[in-house]
Amino acid sequence: MTAYNESGSDEALRRSLGISRRGFLSTCTAVAAGAVAAPVFGAAPAFAQPAPDRGRGKGLSLVPADKRGIILYTVRDATGRDPLSTDLPSGFREVFAELSRYGYRQVEFAGYGQHANAPGGGNLQTVEGAKLLRSWLDESGLRAQGNHGFIPGSWPLTTADLDEFKRHLEIANILGMDHMGTGGDPTGSAYRADWDMAAEKWNVLGRIATAAGIKLYTHNHDAAYGFLLDGGPSDAQGRPTRSSGIRKLEYFLRQTDPKHVWLEMDIYWAHVAQYKFHTYTAHDGSTRENVFDPAALVRSHTKRYPLFHAKDGVVNTTNGQGYDMVPFGTGVIDYRTFFRRVGAKNYHNPMVEQDNAPSSSDPAQSLTHARIGYDNLAALRK
């Protein structure tokens, strides 16, 4: 099977294509001259006190109206339900219209499937399906801003994977996206060698996407902000067992080309990482503390993070993650301070997300939570 790897110039490549209400871990509770006091950890991380004011109605909006978006995974039960069995919005076209009524102006796809009885049928992951989706987006005044879609599993790239990747880029262009990405981390490994390989692969994929006029991004979960194993004694397989203190995705940022590879920070999972990964074993065997500051990372690489997932949580120190997920704006993550700190207000595209919004007992819940999320995103003020 033919494989694809990086070679030649960009031109040759072109030719080849044919926490708003409360703070967490006190990270956002002491802002002075752009600096934030480090959280204090005891046996377990300490949560910050509630912010005194959420900022509703005061000052300019932190998220401009045309930047307020939602990832459709939040309402996946609505796009997936049978329109013949309900009076609730169903399928992409009706859900787009409903989200537009709430005030959303952007959506991020999580695939292109819907119920087979919805207009257009069940599979819209085709050129014709993309044209239909684009017409419905335009009809509702929405813009597609990204998709958690196909990233080739092969490396070096097989011909089949390269062709499929290019097909998804074509669909993204039809939909009018500036960005295309994935819902997973570049690798699930903790080892530097695997992150080097992931960076090599993403640099090539990013150049292919750039040549097609699309910015390629990777999404994070908490594990990606854990510490890289890059030194110290080796295990039985010859792999390093200790860390220099650099986090995996921070290393990925350093190893990838900022002209071709972008990231989408899931702010909720970044805060879970802040809770979970605050100490590491250094190369010399000592235990060291390094508290993760999500907003500071974005501020240091602000143009590398064109998209965010904006999801919220309430404190739960018994589940190993620090949070339970709740509708956006009803939890403790200090989004007001986060958006104020990261800067570039007119650049970032926050997508409201709630993984557990669908309910088996309340068919309207995910759309209700989507409306709550929009209202609370719009209420964030300077």
CSV table of all heavy atoms in Angstrom, one decimal, residues 267-298:
chain,number,residue,atom,x,y,z
A,267,ILE,N,-11.7,23.7,28.1
A,267,ILE,CA,-11.4,24.4,29.3
A,267,ILE,C,-11.8,23.6,30.5
A,267,ILE,O,-11.1,23.6,31.6
A,267,ILE,CB,-12.1,25.8,29.3
A,267,ILE,CG1,-11.6,26.6,28.1
A,267,ILE,CG2,-11.7,26.5,30.6
A,267,ILE,CD1,-12.4,27.9,27.9
A,268,TYR,N,-12.8,22.8,30.5
A,268,TYR,CA,-13.2,21.9,31.6
A,268,TYR,C,-12.2,20.9,31.8
A,268,TYR,O,-11.7,20.7,32.9
A,268,TYR,CB,-14.6,21.3,31.2
A,268,TYR,CG,-15.0,20.2,32.2
A,268,TYR,CD1,-15.8,20.5,33.3
A,268,TYR,CD2,-14.6,18.9,32.0
A,268,TYR,CE1,-16.3,19.6,34.2
A,268,TYR,CE2,-15.1,17.9,32.9
A,268,TYR,CZ,-15.9,18.2,34.0
A,268,TYR,OH,-16.3,17.3,34.9
A,269,TRP,N,-11.7,20.2,30.8
A,269,TRP,CA,-10.8,19.1,30.9
A,269,TRP,C,-9.4,19.7,31.3
A,269,TRP,O,-8.6,19.0,32.0
A,269,TRP,CB,-10.7,18.3,29.7
A,269,TRP,CG,-11.9,17.4,29.5
A,269,TRP,CD1,-12.8,17.4,28.5
A,269,TRP,CD2,-12.3,16.4,30.4
A,269,TRP,NE1,-13.8,16.5,28.7
A,269,TRP,CE2,-13.5,15.8,29.8
A,269,TRP,CE3,-11.9,15.8,31.6
A,269,TRP,CZ2,-14.2,14.8,30.4
A,269,TRP,CZ3,-12.6,14.8,32.2
A,269,TRP,CH2,-13.7,14.3,31.6
A,270,ALA,N,-9.1,20.9,30.9
A,270,ALA,CA,-7.9,21.6,31.3
A,270,ALA,C,-7.9,21.8,32.8
A,270,ALA,O,-6.9,21.7,33.5
A,270,ALA,CB,-7.7,22.9,30.5
A,271,HIS,N,-9.1,22.2,33.3
A,271,HIS,CA,-9.2,22.4,34.8
A,271,HIS,C,-9.2,21.0,35.5
A,271,HIS,O,-8.7,21.0,36.7
A,271,HIS,CB,-10.4,23.2,35.1
A,271,HIS,CG,-10.2,24.7,34.9
A,271,HIS,ND1,-10.2,25.2,33.6
A,271,HIS,CD2,-10.0,25.7,35.7
A,271,HIS,CE1,-9.9,26.5,33.7
A,271,HIS,NE2,-9.8,26.8,35.0
A,272,VAL,N,-9.7,20.0,34.9
A,272,VAL,CA,-9.5,18.7,35.5
A,272,VAL,C,-8.0,18.3,35.6
A,272,VAL,O,-7.6,17.8,36.6
A,272,VAL,CB,-10.3,17.6,34.7
A,272,VAL,CG1,-10.0,16.2,35.2
A,272,VAL,CG2,-11.8,17.8,34.9
A,273,ALA,N,-7.3,18.6,34.6
A,273,ALA,CA,-5.8,18.4,34.6
A,273,ALA,C,-5.2,19.2,35.7
A,273,ALA,O,-4.2,18.7,36.3
A,273,ALA,CB,-5.3,18.7,33.2
A,274,GLN,N,-5.6,20.4,35.9
A,274,GLN,CA,-5.1,21.2,37.0
A,274,GLN,C,-5.3,20.6,38.3
A,274,GLN,O,-4.4,20.6,39.2
A,274,GLN,CB,-5.8,22.6,36.9
A,274,GLN,CG,-5.3,23.6,37.9
A,274,GLN,CD,-6.1,24.9,37.9
A,274,GLN,OE1,-7.3,24.8,38.3
A,274,GLN,NE2,-5.6,26.0,37.5
A,275,TYR,N,-6.4,19.9,38.5
A,275,TYR,CA,-6.7,19.3,39.7
A,275,TYR,C,-5.9,18.0,39.9
A,275,TYR,O,-5.4,17.7,41.0
A,275,TYR,CB,-8.2,18.9,39.8
A,275,TYR,CG,-8.6,18.1,41.0
A,275,TYR,CD1,-8.9,18.7,42.2
A,275,TYR,CD2,-8.8,16.7,40.9
A,275,TYR,CE1,-9.3,18.0,43.3
A,275,TYR,CE2,-9.2,16.0,42.0
A,275,TYR,CZ,-9.4,16.6,43.2
A,275,TYR,OH,-9.8,15.9,44.3
A,276,LYS,N,-5.7,17.2,38.8
A,276,LYS,CA,-5.1,15.9,38.9
A,276,LYS,C,-3.6,15.9,38.8
A,276,LYS,O,-2.9,15.1,39.5
A,276,LYS,CB,-5.6,15.0,37.7
A,276,LYS,CG,-7.1,14.6,37.9
A,276,LYS,CD,-7.6,14.0,36.6
A,276,LYS,CE,-7.0,12.6,36.3
A,276,LYS,NZ,-7.6,11.9,35.2
A,277,PHE,N,-3.0,16.8,38.0
A,277,PHE,CA,-1.6,16.7,37.7
A,277,PHE,C,-0.9,18.0,38.2
A,277,PHE,O,-0.6,18.9,37.4
A,277,PHE,CB,-1.4,16.6,36.1
A,277,PHE,CG,-2.2,15.5,35.5
A,277,PHE,CD1,-3.2,15.7,34.6
A,277,PHE,CD2,-2.0,14.2,35.9
A,277,PHE,CE1,-3.9,14.7,34.0
A,277,PHE,CE2,-2.7,13.1,35.4
A,277,PHE,CZ,-3.7,13.4,34.4
A,278,HIS,N,-0.6,18.0,39.5
A,278,HIS,CA,0.1,19.1,40.0
A,278,HIS,C,1.4,18.8,40.7
A,278,HIS,O,2.1,19.7,41.2
A,278,HIS,CB,-0.8,19.8,41.0
A,278,HIS,CG,-1.4,18.9,42.1
A,278,HIS,ND1,-0.7,18.7,43.3
A,278,HIS,CD2,-2.5,18.2,42.2
A,278,HIS,CE1,-1.4,17.9,44.0
A,278,HIS,NE2,-2.5,17.6,43.4
A,279,THR,N,1.8,17.5,40.7
A,279,THR,CA,3.1,17.1,41.2
A,279,THR,C,3.7,16.0,40.2
A,279,THR,O,2.9,15.3,39.6
A,279,THR,CB,3.1,16.5,42.6
A,279,THR,OG1,2.2,15.4,42.6
A,279,THR,CG2,2.6,17.5,43.6
A,280,TYR,N,5.0,16.0,40.2
A,280,TYR,CA,5.6,15.0,39.3
A,280,TYR,C,6.9,14.5,39.9
A,280,TYR,O,7.5,15.2,40.8
A,280,TYR,CB,5.9,15.5,37.9
A,280,TYR,CG,6.9,16.7,37.9
A,280,TYR,CD1,8.2,16.4,37.6
A,280,TYR,CD2,6.5,18.0,38.1
A,280,TYR,CE1,9.2,17.4,37.5
A,280,TYR,CE2,7.4,19.0,38.1
A,280,TYR,CZ,8.7,18.7,37.8
A,280,TYR,OH,9.7,19.8,37.8
A,281,THR,N,7.4,13.4,39.5
A,281,THR,CA,8.7,12.8,39.9
A,281,THR,C,9.8,13.3,39.0
A,281,THR,O,9.8,12.9,37.8
A,281,THR,CB,8.7,11.3,40.0
A,281,THR,OG1,7.7,10.9,40.9
A,281,THR,CG2,10.1,10.8,40.6
A,282,ALA,N,10.7,14.1,39.4
A,282,ALA,CA,11.8,14.7,38.6
A,282,ALA,C,12.8,13.6,38.2
A,282,ALA,O,12.8,12.5,38.8
A,282,ALA,CB,12.4,15.9,39.3
A,283,HIS,N,13.7,13.9,37.3
A,283,HIS,CA,14.7,13.0,36.9
A,283,HIS,C,15.6,12.5,38.0
A,283,HIS,O,16.0,11.4,38.0
A,283,HIS,CB,15.6,13.6,35.8
A,283,HIS,CG,14.9,13.9,34.5
A,283,HIS,ND1,15.5,14.5,33.5
A,283,HIS,CD2,13.6,13.5,34.1
A,283,HIS,CE1,14.6,14.6,32.4
A,283,HIS,NE2,13.5,14.0,32.8
A,284,ASP,N,15.8,13.4,39.0
A,284,ASP,CA,16.6,13.0,40.2
A,284,ASP,C,15.8,12.2,41.3
A,284,ASP,O,16.4,11.9,42.3
A,284,ASP,CB,17.3,14.2,40.8
A,284,ASP,CG,16.3,15.2,41.4
A,284,ASP,OD1,15.1,14.9,41.4
A,284,ASP,OD2,16.7,16.3,41.8
A,285,GLY,N,14.6,11.9,41.0
A,285,GLY,CA,13.7,11.2,42.0
A,285,GLY,C,13.0,12.0,43.0
A,285,GLY,O,12.2,11.5,43.7
A,286,SER,N,13.2,13.3,43.0
A,286,SER,CA,12.5,14.2,43.9
A,286,SER,C,11.1,14.5,43.4
A,286,SER,O,10.8,14.4,42.2
A,286,SER,CB,13.2,15.5,44.1
A,286,SER,OG,13.3,16.2,42.8
A,287,THR,N,10.2,14.8,44.4
A,287,THR,CA,8.8,15.1,44.0
A,287,THR,C,8.7,16.7,43.9
A,287,THR,O,9.1,17.4,44.9
A,287,THR,CB,7.8,14.6,45.1
A,287,THR,OG1,7.9,13.2,45.1
A,287,THR,CG2,6.4,15.0,44.7
A,288,ARG,N,8.2,17.1,42.8
A,288,ARG,CA,8.1,18.6,42.6
A,288,ARG,C,6.7,19.0,42.3
A,288,ARG,O,5.9,18.2,41.7
A,288,ARG,CB,9.1,19.0,41.5
A,288,ARG,CG,10.5,18.7,41.8
A,288,ARG,CD,11.5,19.2,40.8
A,288,ARG,NE,12.9,18.8,41.1
A,288,ARG,CZ,13.9,19.1,40.3
A,288,ARG,NH1,13.8,20.0,39.3
A,288,ARG,NH2,15.1,18.7,40.6
A,289,GLU,N,6.4,20.2,42.5
A,289,GLU,CA,5.1,20.8,42.3
A,289,GLU,C,5.1,21.7,41.1
A,289,GLU,O,6.0,22.5,40.9
A,289,GLU,CB,4.6,21.5,43.5
A,289,GLU,CG,3.1,22.0,43.4
A,289,GLU,CD,2.6,22.7,44.6
A,289,GLU,OE1,3.0,23.9,44.9
A,289,GLU,OE2,1.9,22.0,45.4
A,290,ASN,N,4.1,21.6,40.3
A,290,ASN,CA,3.9,22.4,39.1
A,290,ASN,C,2.5,22.5,38.8
A,290,ASN,O,1.9,21.6,38.2
A,290,ASN,CB,4.7,21.9,37.9
A,290,ASN,CG,4.5,22.8,36.6
A,290,ASN,OD1,3.7,23.7,36.6
A,290,ASN,ND2,5.3,22.4,35.6
A,291,VAL,N,1.8,23.6,39.2
A,291,VAL,CA,0.4,23.7,39.1
A,291,VAL,C,0.0,24.3,37.7
A,291,VAL,O,0.6,25.3,37.3
A,291,VAL,CB,-0.2,24.6,40.2
A,291,VAL,CG1,-1.7,24.8,40.0
A,291,VAL,CG2,0.1,24.1,41.6
A,292,PHE,N,-0.8,23.6,37.0
A,292,PHE,CA,-1.2,24.0,35.7
A,292,PHE,C,-2.1,25.2,35.7
A,292,PHE,O,-3.1,25.3,36.4
A,292,PHE,CB,-1.9,22.8,35.0
A,292,PHE,CG,-2.3,23.1,33.6
A,292,PHE,CD1,-1.4,23.7,32.7
A,292,PHE,CD2,-3.5,22.6,33.1
A,292,PHE,CE1,-1.8,23.9,31.4
A,292,PHE,CE2,-3.9,22.8,31.8
A,292,PHE,CZ,-3.0,23.5,30.9
A,293,ASP,N,-1.8,26.2,34.8
A,293,ASP,CA,-2.6,27.4,34.7
A,293,ASP,C,-3.1,27.4,33.2
A,293,ASP,O,-2.4,27.9,32.3
A,293,ASP,CB,-1.8,28.6,35.0
A,293,ASP,CG,-2.6,29.9,35.0
A,293,ASP,OD1,-3.7,29.9,34.4
A,293,ASP,OD2,-2.0,30.9,35.5
A,294,PRO,N,-4.3,26.9,33.0
A,294,PRO,CA,-4.8,26.9,31.6
A,294,PRO,C,-4.8,28.2,30.8
A,294,PRO,O,-4.4,28.3,29.7
A,294,PRO,CB,-6.2,26.3,31.7
A,294,PRO,CG,-6.2,25.6,33.0
A,294,PRO,CD,-5.3,26.3,33.9
A,295,ALA,N,-5.3,29.3,31.5
A,295,ALA,CA,-5.3,30.6,30.8
A,295,ALA,C,-3.9,31.1,30.5
A,295,ALA,O,-3.7,31.7,29.5
A,295,ALA,CB,-6.1,31.6,31.7
A,296,ALA,N,-3.0,30.9,31.4
A,296,ALA,CA,-1.6,31.3,31.1
A,296,ALA,C,-1.0,30.6,29.9
A,296,ALA,O,-0.3,31.2,29.1
A,296,ALA,CB,-0.7,31.1,32.3
A,297,LEU,N,-1.3,29.3,29.7
A,297,LEU,CA,-0.8,28.6,28.5
A,297,LEU,C,-1.4,29.2,27.3
A,297,LEU,O,-0.7,29.5,26.3
A,297,LEU,CB,-1.2,27.1,28.6
A,297,LEU,CG,-0.8,26.3,27.4
A,297,LEU,CD1,0.8,26.3,27.2
A,297,LEU,CD2,-1.3,24.9,27.6
A,298,VAL,N,-2.7,29.5,27.3
A,298,VAL,CA,-3.3,30.1,26.1
A,298,VAL,C,-2.8,31.5,25.9
A,298,VAL,O,-2.4,31.8,24.7
A,298,VAL,CB,-4.9,30.2,26.3
A,298,VAL,CG1,-5.5,30.9,25.1
A,298,VAL,CG2,-5.5,28.8,26.4
